[in-house]
Amino acid sequence: MAIASGALARVPMLLLAGLLLSGAQGRTTGLEDRLLASHNRERAALGVAPLQWDPSLARGAAQWAEHLSQTGRFEHSPKLPGTPREGENIWGGRPGAFTPEAMVNLWIAEKAHFVPGTFPNNSKTGRVEDVSHYTQLVWRRTAQVGCALSRAGEEEILVCRYSVPGNVRGREPL
């Protein structure tokens, strides 16, 4: 009898575990909302207005992320004549190893090198590339973002596009 009641006592726990696991988020579940929230947490901490998600920017980001995945290259997209100016952050890493928040947090980590002032003189190291992802992410005049993740190649690629673009020479990010 003790064996049977012990086994019965485990049934509710197994059912509960199954329910919890079936509702668990995948690593990229809710990708858009999570990427937007990660951007806006940092902006809020600085008193900068939140970004809004822009599906058009996300479509462009998806095209470029797929291109980078397929070609194995890692470079910013070219400015095409007749297209609006957009800012862009790109990230690459081992597939499946990073959450969306961790990807954005690597850009935010550049804050450690940031100094207020006129762009591009915003880096403690003197190298603008040490802060340019961060300054784009927090650029005060930027109002929209759209991002996409590609897992098609050997590297996972995240591209985020921004409008209005940041990192404008002679202007202050914040």
Side-chain angles (χ1 to χ4, degrees), residues 39 51 56-68 73-80 83-91 107 110 119 128-129 131-139 142 144-148 157-168:
H39 279 76
L51 298 173
S56 178
L57 291 171
R59 281 190 296 278
Q63 291 171 347
W64 190 246
E66 286 299 315
H67 169 78
L68 294 176
R73 299 179 74 154
F74 193 75
E75 60 193 3
H76 285 284
S77 59
K79 168 69 175 105
L80 301 174
T83 60
R85 285 185 21 94
E86 297 171 348
E88 182 178 76
N89 278 347
I90 57 176
W91 173 94
W107 295 333
E110 293 176 357
F119 188 84
V128 69
E129 58 269 22
V131 296
S132 58
H133 296 101
Y134 179 73
T135 52
Q136 174 56 82
L137 191 146
V138 299
W139 200 266
T142 299
Q144 291 96 22
V145 66
C147 305
I157 304 289
L158 173 67
V159 175
C160 289
R161 297 267 176 93
Y162 303 85
S163 183
V164 294
N167 295 347
V168 178

Tab-separated table of all heavy atoms in Angstrom, residues 39 51 56-68 73-80 83-91 107 110 119 128-129 131-139 142 144-148 157-168:
chain	number	residue	atom	x	y	z
A	39	HIS	N	16.183	47.156	-25.200
A	39	HIS	CA	16.572	48.506	-25.618
A	39	HIS	C	15.969	49.547	-24.666
A	39	HIS	O	16.656	50.449	-24.191
A	39	HIS	CB	16.060	48.795	-27.038
A	39	HIS	CG	16.892	48.242	-28.141
A	39	HIS	ND1	16.895	46.913	-28.478
A	39	HIS	CD2	17.722	48.856	-29.008
A	39	HIS	CE1	17.709	46.733	-29.507
A	39	HIS	NE2	18.228	47.902	-29.849
A	51	LEU	N	11.749	53.430	-27.465
A	51	LEU	CA	11.625	53.162	-28.899
A	51	LEU	C	10.316	52.448	-29.168
A	51	LEU	O	9.779	51.757	-28.301
A	51	LEU	CB	12.782	52.271	-29.371
A	51	LEU	CG	14.186	52.842	-29.237
A	51	LEU	CD1	15.222	51.782	-29.579
A	51	LEU	CD2	14.354	54.060	-30.128
A	56	SER	N	8.702	47.674	-40.736
A	56	SER	CA	9.462	47.928	-41.956
A	56	SER	C	10.968	47.842	-41.676
A	56	SER	O	11.729	47.257	-42.460
A	56	SER	CB	9.100	49.301	-42.522
A	56	SER	OG	9.866	49.575	-43.661
A	57	LEU	N	11.400	48.424	-40.561
A	57	LEU	CA	12.806	48.310	-40.171
A	57	LEU	C	13.161	46.846	-39.908
A	57	LEU	O	14.251	46.384	-40.276
A	57	LEU	CB	13.101	49.148	-38.926
A	57	LEU	CG	13.062	50.666	-39.091
A	57	LEU	CD1	13.166	51.355	-37.732
A	57	LEU	CD2	14.171	51.137	-40.021
A	58	ALA	N	12.251	46.105	-39.292
A	58	ALA	CA	12.492	44.690	-39.008
A	58	ALA	C	12.634	43.883	-40.300
A	58	ALA	O	13.478	42.983	-40.375
A	58	ALA	CB	11.371	44.130	-38.137
A	59	ARG	N	11.830	44.198	-41.319
A	59	ARG	CA	11.952	43.491	-42.607
A	59	ARG	C	13.315	43.746	-43.240
A	59	ARG	O	13.964	42.823	-43.743
A	59	ARG	CB	10.827	43.903	-43.554
A	59	ARG	CG	9.506	43.224	-43.258
A	59	ARG	CD	8.483	43.456	-44.356
A	59	ARG	NE	8.112	44.856	-44.512
A	59	ARG	CZ	7.212	45.479	-43.759
A	59	ARG	NH1	6.576	44.830	-42.787
A	59	ARG	NH2	6.950	46.761	-43.961
A	60	GLY	N	13.763	44.989	-43.233
A	60	GLY	CA	15.087	45.300	-43.765
A	60	GLY	C	16.188	44.615	-42.968
A	60	GLY	O	17.158	44.117	-43.541
A	61	ALA	N	16.028	44.586	-41.650
A	61	ALA	CA	17.011	43.916	-40.795
A	61	ALA	C	17.053	42.421	-41.107
A	61	ALA	O	18.125	41.818	-41.152
A	61	ALA	CB	16.678	44.149	-39.321
A	62	ALA	N	15.888	41.825	-41.358
A	62	ALA	CA	15.819	40.394	-41.677
A	62	ALA	C	16.538	40.090	-42.987
A	62	ALA	O	17.274	39.100	-43.093
A	62	ALA	CB	14.370	39.928	-41.748
A	63	GLN	N	16.341	40.930	-43.973
A	63	GLN	CA	17.013	40.720	-45.259
A	63	GLN	C	18.532	40.780	-45.097
A	63	GLN	O	19.248	39.947	-45.651
A	63	GLN	CB	16.543	41.750	-46.284
A	63	GLN	CG	15.112	41.551	-46.716
A	63	GLN	CD	14.587	42.704	-47.560
A	63	GLN	OE1	15.192	43.769	-47.653
A	63	GLN	NE2	13.426	42.489	-48.172
A	64	TRP	N	19.004	41.756	-44.340
A	64	TRP	CA	20.449	41.891	-44.167
A	64	TRP	C	21.005	40.754	-43.302
A	64	TRP	O	22.076	40.209	-43.590
A	64	TRP	CB	20.819	43.259	-43.598
A	64	TRP	CG	22.288	43.474	-43.648
A	64	TRP	CD1	23.144	43.594	-42.590
A	64	TRP	CD2	23.107	43.563	-44.829
A	64	TRP	NE1	24.432	43.754	-43.030
A	64	TRP	CE2	24.433	43.736	-44.408
A	64	TRP	CE3	22.827	43.508	-46.197
A	64	TRP	CZ2	25.490	43.865	-45.302
A	64	TRP	CZ3	23.887	43.641	-47.083
A	64	TRP	CH2	25.201	43.810	-46.644
A	65	ALA	N	20.284	40.365	-42.244
A	65	ALA	CA	20.727	39.259	-41.390
A	65	ALA	C	20.840	37.971	-42.206
A	65	ALA	O	21.823	37.224	-42.069
A	65	ALA	CB	19.766	39.074	-40.216
A	66	GLU	N	19.858	37.704	-43.069
A	66	GLU	CA	19.913	36.508	-43.926
A	66	GLU	C	21.099	36.588	-44.884
A	66	GLU	O	21.791	35.595	-45.105
A	66	GLU	CB	18.608	36.344	-44.699
A	66	GLU	CG	17.458	35.863	-43.860
A	66	GLU	CD	17.680	34.488	-43.236
A	66	GLU	OE1	18.152	33.567	-43.942
A	66	GLU	OE2	17.404	34.341	-42.036
A	67	HIS	N	21.331	37.773	-45.455
A	67	HIS	CA	22.463	37.956	-46.365
A	67	HIS	C	23.781	37.641	-45.648
A	67	HIS	O	24.634	36.920	-46.188
A	67	HIS	CB	22.479	39.387	-46.912
A	67	HIS	CG	23.734	39.742	-47.640
A	67	HIS	ND1	23.987	39.322	-48.931
A	67	HIS	CD2	24.823	40.450	-47.251
A	67	HIS	CE1	25.185	39.762	-49.301
A	67	HIS	NE2	25.705	40.459	-48.296
A	68	LEU	N	23.939	38.170	-44.453
A	68	LEU	CA	25.164	37.923	-43.698
A	68	LEU	C	25.317	36.437	-43.374
A	68	LEU	O	26.418	35.877	-43.485
A	68	LEU	CB	25.191	38.758	-42.416
A	68	LEU	CG	25.269	40.270	-42.606
A	68	LEU	CD1	25.190	40.980	-41.261
A	68	LEU	CD2	26.521	40.682	-43.359
A	73	ARG	N	29.705	36.699	-44.186
A	73	ARG	CA	30.363	37.991	-43.958
A	73	ARG	C	29.771	38.643	-42.720
A	73	ARG	O	28.676	38.312	-42.296
A	73	ARG	CB	30.184	38.874	-45.179
A	73	ARG	CG	30.811	38.231	-46.425
A	73	ARG	CD	30.617	39.074	-47.608
A	73	ARG	NE	31.530	40.209	-47.493
A	73	ARG	CZ	31.990	40.875	-48.524
A	73	ARG	NH1	31.631	40.551	-49.737
A	73	ARG	NH2	32.802	41.896	-48.353
A	74	PHE	N	30.490	39.593	-42.177
A	74	PHE	CA	30.023	40.329	-41.006
A	74	PHE	C	30.372	41.784	-41.221
A	74	PHE	O	31.493	42.226	-40.935
A	74	PHE	CB	30.676	39.779	-39.734
A	74	PHE	CG	30.028	40.272	-38.475
A	74	PHE	CD1	28.800	39.772	-38.062
A	74	PHE	CD2	30.635	41.244	-37.701
A	74	PHE	CE1	28.199	40.227	-36.901
A	74	PHE	CE2	30.041	41.712	-36.544
A	74	PHE	CZ	28.819	41.194	-36.147
A	75	GLU	N	29.417	42.528	-41.782
A	75	GLU	CA	29.655	43.931	-42.123
A	75	GLU	C	28.329	44.675	-42.134
A	75	GLU	O	27.274	44.076	-42.289
A	75	GLU	CB	30.323	44.039	-43.494
A	75	GLU	CG	29.468	43.431	-44.601
A	75	GLU	CD	30.215	43.237	-45.908
A	75	GLU	OE1	31.424	43.509	-45.962
A	75	GLU	OE2	29.575	42.801	-46.877
A	76	HIS	N	28.422	45.985	-41.990
A	76	HIS	CA	27.215	46.796	-42.042
A	76	HIS	C	26.703	46.866	-43.474
A	76	HIS	O	27.481	46.761	-44.428
A	76	HIS	CB	27.485	48.201	-41.501
A	76	HIS	CG	27.586	48.219	-40.010
A	76	HIS	ND1	26.488	48.140	-39.198
A	76	HIS	CD2	28.662	48.285	-39.192
A	76	HIS	CE1	26.869	48.167	-37.944
A	76	HIS	NE2	28.195	48.244	-37.911
A	77	SER	N	25.410	47.062	-43.593
A	77	SER	CA	24.797	47.145	-44.922
A	77	SER	C	25.216	48.440	-45.609
A	77	SER	O	25.438	49.454	-44.948
A	77	SER	CB	23.273	47.079	-44.806
A	77	SER	OG	22.795	48.142	-44.011
A	78	PRO	N	25.304	48.402	-46.930
A	78	PRO	CA	25.668	49.615	-47.657
A	78	PRO	C	24.487	50.576	-47.724
A	78	PRO	O	23.327	50.165	-47.670
A	78	PRO	CB	26.032	49.107	-49.050
A	78	PRO	CG	25.238	47.851	-49.189
A	78	PRO	CD	25.145	47.255	-47.805
A	79	LYS	N	24.782	51.845	-47.825
A	79	LYS	CA	23.737	52.858	-48.020
A	79	LYS	C	23.377	52.860	-49.501
A	79	LYS	O	24.204	53.143	-50.347
A	79	LYS	CB	24.259	54.233	-47.574
A	79	LYS	CG	23.400	55.415	-47.967
A	79	LYS	CD	22.084	55.434	-47.225
A	79	LYS	CE	21.304	56.688	-47.533
A	79	LYS	NZ	20.179	56.505	-48.416
A	80	LEU	N	22.140	52.485	-49.796
A	80	LEU	CA	21.684	52.431	-51.187
A	80	LEU	C	21.057	53.759	-51.581
A	80	LEU	O	20.270	54.330	-50.808
A	80	LEU	CB	20.688	51.289	-51.378
A	80	LEU	CG	21.223	49.896	-51.040
A	80	LEU	CD1	20.112	48.862	-51.129
A	80	LEU	CD2	22.385	49.530	-51.941
A	83	THR	N	17.271	55.344	-50.659
A	83	THR	CA	16.677	54.726	-49.477
A	83	THR	C	16.883	55.643	-48.277
A	83	THR	O	17.870	56.371	-48.207
A	83	THR	CB	17.311	53.346	-49.179
A	83	THR	OG1	18.714	53.518	-48.952
A	83	THR	CG2	17.100	52.375	-50.331
A	84	PRO	N	15.951	55.603	-47.325
A	84	PRO	CA	16.110	56.476	-46.151
A	84	PRO	C	17.312	56.041	-45.317
A	84	PRO	O	17.677	54.869	-45.283
A	84	PRO	CB	14.810	56.275	-45.374
A	84	PRO	CG	14.197	55.030	-45.898
A	84	PRO	CD	14.743	54.800	-47.273
A	85	ARG	N	17.916	57.021	-44.651
A	85	ARG	CA	19.027	56.706	-43.755
A	85	ARG	C	18.499	55.962	-42.535
A	85	ARG	O	17.457	56.315	-41.989
A	85	ARG	CB	19.733	57.988	-43.316
A	85	ARG	CG	20.611	58.583	-44.397
A	85	ARG	CD	21.416	59.799	-43.925
A	85	ARG	NE	21.631	59.941	-42.498
A	85	ARG	CZ	22.721	59.499	-41.839
A	85	ARG	NH1	23.673	58.895	-42.465
A	85	ARG	NH2	22.838	59.706	-40.537
A	86	GLU	N	19.232	54.937	-42.140
A	86	GLU	CA	18.898	54.160	-40.951
A	86	GLU	C	20.178	53.859	-40.188
A	86	GLU	O	21.240	53.689	-40.777
A	86	GLU	CB	18.246	52.823	-41.338
A	86	GLU	CG	16.933	52.975	-42.057
A	86	GLU	CD	16.402	51.667	-42.621
A	86	GLU	OE1	17.142	50.661	-42.654
A	86	GLU	OE2	15.237	51.668	-43.028
A	87	GLY	N	20.048	53.800	-38.883
A	87	GLY	CA	21.150	53.320	-38.072
A	87	GLY	C	21.112	51.803	-38.053
A	87	GLY	O	20.082	51.194	-38.364
A	88	GLU	N	22.224	51.188	-37.673
A	88	GLU	CA	22.266	49.727	-37.684
A	88	GLU	C	23.262	49.210	-36.658
A	88	GLU	O	24.385	49.699	-36.570
A	88	GLU	CB	22.667	49.249	-39.080
A	88	GLU	CG	22.713	47.746	-39.241
A	88	GLU	CD	23.066	47.367	-40.659
A	88	GLU	OE1	24.276	47.485	-41.028
A	88	GLU	OE2	22.161	46.973	-41.400
A	89	ASN	N	22.826	48.247	-35.872
A	89	ASN	CA	23.709	47.481	-34.994
A	89	ASN	C	23.662	46.038	-35.466
A	89	ASN	O	22.576	45.522	-35.786
A	89	ASN	CB	23.257	47.540	-33.529
A	89	ASN	CG	23.702	48.801	-32.827
A	89	ASN	OD1	24.551	49.551	-33.319
A	89	ASN	ND2	23.137	49.057	-31.653
A	90	ILE	N	24.827	45.383	-35.516
A	90	ILE	CA	24.858	43.964	-35.859
A	90	ILE	C	25.603	43.212	-34.767
A	90	ILE	O	26.498	43.756	-34.110
A	90	ILE	CB	25.472	43.695	-37.250
A	90	ILE	CG1	26.887	44.250	-37.363
A	90	ILE	CG2	24.586	44.277	-38.337
A	90	ILE	CD1	27.569	43.915	-38.693
A	91	TRP	N	25.192	41.974	-34.569
A	91	TRP	CA	25.781	41.112	-33.548
A	91	TRP	C	25.899	39.721	-34.150
A	91	TRP	O	25.026	39.292	-34.912
A	91	TRP	CB	24.862	41.090	-32.322
A	91	TRP	CG	25.284	40.111	-31.263
A	91	TRP	CD1	26.061	40.374	-30.175
A	91	TRP	CD2	24.966	38.724	-31.207
A	91	TRP	NE1	26.243	39.229	-29.452
A	91	TRP	CE2	25.582	38.197	-30.066
A	91	TRP	CE3	24.230	37.867	-32.013
A	91	TRP	CZ2	25.484	36.861	-29.702
A	91	TRP	CZ3	24.128	36.533	-31.673
A	91	TRP	CH2	24.746	36.042	-30.514
A	107	TRP	N	25.856	45.052	-26.441
A	107	TRP	CA	25.933	46.434	-26.930
A	107	TRP	C	25.894	47.409	-25.753
A	107	TRP	O	26.636	48.381	-25.712
A	107	TRP	CB	24.792	46.739	-27.891
A	107	TRP	CG	24.810	45.951	-29.166
A	107	TRP	CD1	25.896	45.416	-29.790
A	107	TRP	CD2	23.685	45.624	-29.972
A	107	TRP	NE1	25.500	44.773	-30.945
A	107	TRP	CE2	24.149	44.886	-31.078
A	107	TRP	CE3	22.324	45.878	-29.867
A	107	TRP	CZ2	23.301	44.403	-32.074
A	107	TRP	CZ3	21.476	45.405	-30.861
A	107	TRP	CH2	21.961	44.678	-31.957
A	110	GLU	N	29.012	48.372	-23.716
A	110	GLU	CA	29.911	49.418	-24.202
A	110	GLU	C	29.780	50.708	-23.384
A	110	GLU	O	30.645	51.589	-23.464
A	110	GLU	CB	29.646	49.703	-25.678
A	110	GLU	CG	30.010	48.564	-26.599
A	110	GLU	CD	29.659	48.824	-28.045
A	110	GLU	OE1	29.060	49.884	-28.363
A	110	GLU	OE2	29.979	47.965	-28.875
A	119	PHE	N	29.441	63.422	-30.575
A	119	PHE	CA	29.876	62.249	-31.322
A	119	PHE	C	30.833	62.686	-32.423
A	119	PHE	O	30.588	63.701	-33.064
A	119	PHE	CB	28.640	61.540	-31.930
A	119	PHE	CG	28.964	60.219	-32.557
A	119	PHE	CD1	29.035	59.080	-31.789
A	119	PHE	CD2	29.218	60.135	-33.913
A	119	PHE	CE1	29.348	57.857	-32.370
A	119	PHE	CE2	29.540	58.924	-34.496
A	119	PHE	CZ	29.606	57.786	-33.724
A	128	VAL	N	35.955	55.217	-31.300
A	128	VAL	CA	34.500	55.317	-31.414
A	128	VAL	C	33.848	53.942	-31.526
A	128	VAL	O	32.731	53.739	-31.049
A	128	VAL	CB	34.097	56.244	-32.587
A	128	VAL	CG1	34.437	55.615	-33.930
A	128	VAL	CG2	32.615	56.594	-32.512
A	129	GLU	N	34.536	52.990	-32.134
A	129	GLU	CA	33.962	51.651	-32.281
A	129	GLU	C	33.759	50.946	-30.943
A	129	GLU	O	33.026	49.964	-30.862
A	129	GLU	CB	34.794	50.785	-33.231
A	129	GLU	CG	36.234	50.604	-32.850
A	129	GLU	CD	37.173	51.647	-33.441
A	129	GLU	OE1	36.735	52.754	-33.812
A	129	GLU	OE2	38.378	51.350	-33.507
A	131	VAL	N	32.163	52.297	-28.512
A	131	VAL	CA	30.889	52.767	-27.948
A	131	VAL	C	29.778	52.930	-28.982
A	131	VAL	O	28.652	53.264	-28.619
A	131	VAL	CB	31.064	54.112	-27.200
A	131	VAL	CG1	31.987	53.956	-25.997
A	131	VAL	CG2	31.528	55.207	-28.129
A	132	SER	N	30.052	52.723	-30.239
A	132	SER	CA	29.083	53.098	-31.286
A	132	SER	C	27.807	52.264	-31.282
A	132	SER	O	26.753	52.753	-31.696
A	132	SER	CB	29.730	53.079	-32.671
A	132	SER	OG	30.271	51.817	-32.961
A	133	HIS	N	27.852	51.005	-30.832
A	133	HIS	CA	26.607	50.237	-30.707
A	133	HIS	C	25.754	50.857	-29.593
A	133	HIS	O	24.540	51.024	-29.739
A	133	HIS	CB	26.883	48.772	-30.371
A	133	HIS	CG	27.621	48.035	-31.428
A	133	HIS	ND1	28.963	47.785	-31.338
A	133	HIS	CD2	27.202	47.507	-32.600
A	133	HIS	CE1	29.345	47.120	-32.404
A	133	HIS	NE2	28.299	46.944	-33.204
A	134	TYR	N	26.433	51.177	-28.493
A	134	TYR	CA	25.733	51.763	-27.352
A	134	TYR	C	25.123	53.121	-27.711
A	134	TYR	O	23.957	53.379	-27.409
A	134	TYR	CB	26.681	51.899	-26.160
A	134	TYR	CG	26.013	52.515	-24.954
A	134	TYR	CD1	25.091	51.787	-24.217
A	134	TYR	CD2	26.281	53.821	-24.569
A	134	TYR	CE1	24.460	52.341	-23.121
A	134	TYR	CE2	25.661	54.384	-23.468
A	134	TYR	CZ	24.747	53.641	-22.753
A	134	TYR	OH	24.108	54.182	-21.668
A	135	THR	N	25.911	53.989	-28.341
A	135	THR	CA	25.388	55.319	-28.651
A	135	THR	C	24.202	55.226	-29.608
A	135	THR	O	23.247	55.982	-29.473
A	135	THR	CB	26.482	56.241	-29.215
A	135	THR	OG1	27.141	55.597	-30.308
A	135	THR	CG2	27.495	56.613	-28.143
A	136	GLN	N	24.229	54.278	-30.558
A	136	GLN	CA	23.079	54.117	-31.443
A	136	GLN	C	21.858	53.669	-30.655
A	136	GLN	O	20.761	54.164	-30.851
A	136	GLN	CB	23.377	53.114	-32.555
A	136	GLN	CG	22.159	52.793	-33.432
A	136	GLN	CD	21.535	54.025	-34.064
A	136	GLN	OE1	22.010	54.499	-35.077
A	136	GLN	NE2	20.475	54.551	-33.473
A	137	LEU	N	22.038	52.752	-29.747
A	137	LEU	CA	20.935	52.203	-28.956
A	137	LEU	C	20.256	53.277	-28.097
A	137	LEU	O	19.040	53.262	-27.936
A	137	LEU	CB	21.493	51.078	-28.087
A	137	LEU	CG	20.522	50.181	-27.361
A	137	LEU	CD1	21.088	48.770	-27.297
A	137	LEU	CD2	20.223	50.676	-25.970
A	138	VAL	N	21.037	54.214	-27.562
A	138	VAL	CA	20.474	55.220	-26.651
A	138	VAL	C	20.287	56.586	-27.303
A	138	VAL	O	19.850	57.525	-26.642
A	138	VAL	CB	21.345	55.378	-25.374
A	138	VAL	CG1	21.412	54.061	-24.609
A	138	VAL	CG2	22.735	55.914	-25.689
A	139	TRP	N	20.590	56.721	-28.587
A	139	TRP	CA	20.523	58.019	-29.271
A	139	TRP	C	19.166	58.658	-29.034
A	139	TRP	O	18.127	58.089	-29.367
A	139	TRP	CB	20.793	57.838	-30.751
A	139	TRP	CG	21.205	59.101	-31.441
A	139	TRP	CD1	20.370	59.963	-32.090
A	139	TRP	CD2	22.521	59.627	-31.555
A	139	TRP	NE1	21.103	61.008	-32.594
A	139	TRP	CE2	22.430	60.817	-32.287
A	139	TRP	CE3	23.767	59.205	-31.104
A	139	TRP	CZ2	23.539	61.605	-32.581
A	139	TRP	CZ3	24.870	59.978	-31.394
A	139	TRP	CH2	24.743	61.170	-32.132
A	142	THR	N	16.491	58.978	-31.859
A	142	THR	CA	15.984	57.742	-32.458
A	142	THR	C	14.647	57.397	-31.818
A	142	THR	O	14.508	57.448	-30.599
A	142	THR	CB	17.003	56.599	-32.270
A	142	THR	OG1	18.218	56.959	-32.923
A	142	THR	CG2	16.490	55.302	-32.849
A	144	GLN	N	12.366	54.734	-33.518
A	144	GLN	CA	11.890	53.403	-33.916
A	144	GLN	C	13.063	52.432	-34.056
A	144	GLN	O	14.174	52.834	-34.389
A	144	GLN	CB	11.161	53.435	-35.273
A	144	GLN	CG	9.841	54.154	-35.272
A	144	GLN	CD	10.005	55.587	-35.728
A	144	GLN	OE1	10.951	55.936	-36.400
A	144	GLN	NE2	9.081	56.441	-35.332
A	145	VAL	N	12.744	51.172	-33.844
A	145	VAL	CA	13.708	50.087	-34.033
A	145	VAL	C	12.988	48.900	-34.641
A	145	VAL	O	11.784	48.706	-34.433
A	145	VAL	CB	14.391	49.687	-32.693
A	145	VAL	CG1	13.390	49.083	-31.717
A	145	VAL	CG2	15.556	48.740	-32.925
A	146	GLY	N	13.695	48.128	-35.409
A	146	GLY	CA	13.206	46.849	-35.932
A	146	GLY	C	14.403	45.926	-36.031
A	146	GLY	O	15.463	46.316	-36.501
A	147	CYS	N	14.253	44.694	-35.555
A	147	CYS	CA	15.373	43.760	-35.501
A	147	CYS	C	14.967	42.416	-36.075
A	147	CYS	O	13.783	42.087	-36.154
A	147	CYS	CB	15.816	43.532	-34.051
A	147	CYS	SG	16.222	45.003	-33.112
A	148	ALA	N	15.967	41.632	-36.445
A	148	ALA	CA	15.732	40.273	-36.917
A	148	ALA	C	16.945	39.416	-36.604
A	148	ALA	O	18.072	39.902	-36.586
A	148	ALA	CB	15.452	40.269	-38.411
A	157	ILE	N	23.090	35.625	-36.343
A	157	ILE	CA	23.277	37.040	-36.642
A	157	ILE	C	22.033	37.815	-36.224
A	157	ILE	O	20.919	37.488	-36.629
A	157	ILE	CB	23.518	37.277	-38.157
A	157	ILE	CG1	24.704	36.469	-38.675
A	157	ILE	CG2	23.664	38.765	-38.453
A	157	ILE	CD1	26.053	36.947	-38.196
A	158	LEU	N	22.235	38.853	-35.425
A	158	LEU	CA	21.169	39.773	-35.060
A	158	LEU	C	21.474	41.106	-35.730
A	158	LEU	O	22.596	41.610	-35.633
A	158	LEU	CB	21.113	39.980	-33.542
A	158	LEU	CG	20.141	41.050	-33.052
A	158	LEU	CD1	18.691	40.643	-33.309
A	158	LEU	CD2	20.375	41.344	-31.570
A	159	VAL	N	20.474	41.643	-36.407
A	159	VAL	CA	20.576	42.974	-36.994
A	159	VAL	C	19.437	43.806	-36.438
A	159	VAL	O	18.282	43.372	-36.446
A	159	VAL	CB	20.496	42.933	-38.540
A	159	VAL	CG1	20.489	44.348	-39.117
A	159	VAL	CG2	21.646	42.118	-39.127
A	160	CYS	N	19.758	44.988	-35.938
A	160	CYS	CA	18.739	45.948	-35.517
A	160	CYS	C	18.937	47.216	-36.339
A	160	CYS	O	20.058	47.693	-36.507
A	160	CYS	CB	18.855	46.273	-34.022
A	160	CYS	SG	18.347	44.926	-32.946
A	161	ARG	N	17.822	47.717	-36.849
A	161	ARG	CA	17.821	48.964	-37.623
A	161	ARG	C	17.089	50.033	-36.826
A	161	ARG	O	16.115	49.744	-36.128
A	161	ARG	CB	17.112	48.750	-38.963
A	161	ARG	CG	17.792	47.743	-39.874
A	161	ARG	CD	18.747	48.444	-40.803
A	161	ARG	NE	19.506	47.565	-41.659
A	161	ARG	CZ	19.159	47.216	-42.887
A	161	ARG	NH1	18.045	47.659	-43.423
A	161	ARG	NH2	19.940	46.428	-43.596
A	162	TYR	N	17.537	51.284	-36.976
A	162	TYR	CA	17.036	52.402	-36.177
A	162	TYR	C	16.669	53.592	-37.057
A	162	TYR	O	17.362	53.903	-38.012
A	162	TYR	CB	18.115	52.856	-35.183
A	162	TYR	CG	18.601	51.766	-34.279
A	162	TYR	CD1	19.618	50.897	-34.676
A	162	TYR	CD2	18.047	51.590	-33.016
A	162	TYR	CE1	20.068	49.889	-33.837
A	162	TYR	CE2	18.498	50.586	-32.176
A	162	TYR	CZ	19.505	49.738	-32.598
A	162	TYR	OH	19.945	48.738	-31.763
A	163	SER	N	15.586	54.262	-36.682
A	163	SER	CA	15.181	55.488	-37.359
A	163	SER	C	14.695	56.459	-36.280
A	163	SER	O	13.933	56.076	-35.401
A	163	SER	CB	14.064	55.202	-38.354
A	163	SER	OG	13.720	56.365	-39.063
A	164	VAL	N	15.145	57.645	-36.333
A	164	VAL	CA	16.175	58.245	-37.124
A	164	VAL	C	17.504	57.670	-36.675
A	164	VAL	O	17.656	57.283	-35.524
A	164	VAL	CB	16.179	59.800	-37.016
A	164	VAL	CG1	14.933	60.375	-37.616
A	164	VAL	CG2	16.370	60.291	-35.599
A	165	PRO	N	18.478	57.652	-37.611
A	165	PRO	CA	19.755	57.062	-37.234
A	165	PRO	C	20.490	57.918	-36.207
A	165	PRO	O	20.328	59.134	-36.161
A	165	PRO	CB	20.519	57.018	-38.556
A	165	PRO	CG	19.889	58.062	-39.408
A	165	PRO	CD	18.457	58.136	-38.980
A	166	GLY	N	21.275	57.243	-35.407
A	166	GLY	CA	22.142	57.926	-34.459
A	166	GLY	C	23.549	58.002	-35.001
A	166	GLY	O	23.780	57.833	-36.199
A	167	ASN	N	24.476	58.257	-34.100
A	167	ASN	CA	25.902	58.330	-34.433
A	167	ASN	C	26.167	59.366	-35.519
A	167	ASN	O	26.890	59.103	-36.482
A	167	ASN	CB	26.455	56.955	-34.807
A	167	ASN	CG	26.425	56.011	-33.633
A	167	ASN	OD1	26.221	56.413	-32.498
A	167	ASN	ND2	26.629	54.735	-33.902
A	168	VAL	N	25.560	60.529	-35.345
A	168	VAL	CA	25.724	61.635	-36.281
A	168	VAL	C	26.850	62.540	-35.789
A	168	VAL	O	26.789	63.053	-34.663
A	168	VAL	CB	24.409	62.436	-36.431
A	168	VAL	CG1	24.586	63.624	-37.373
A	168	VAL	CG2	23.270	61.522	-36.878
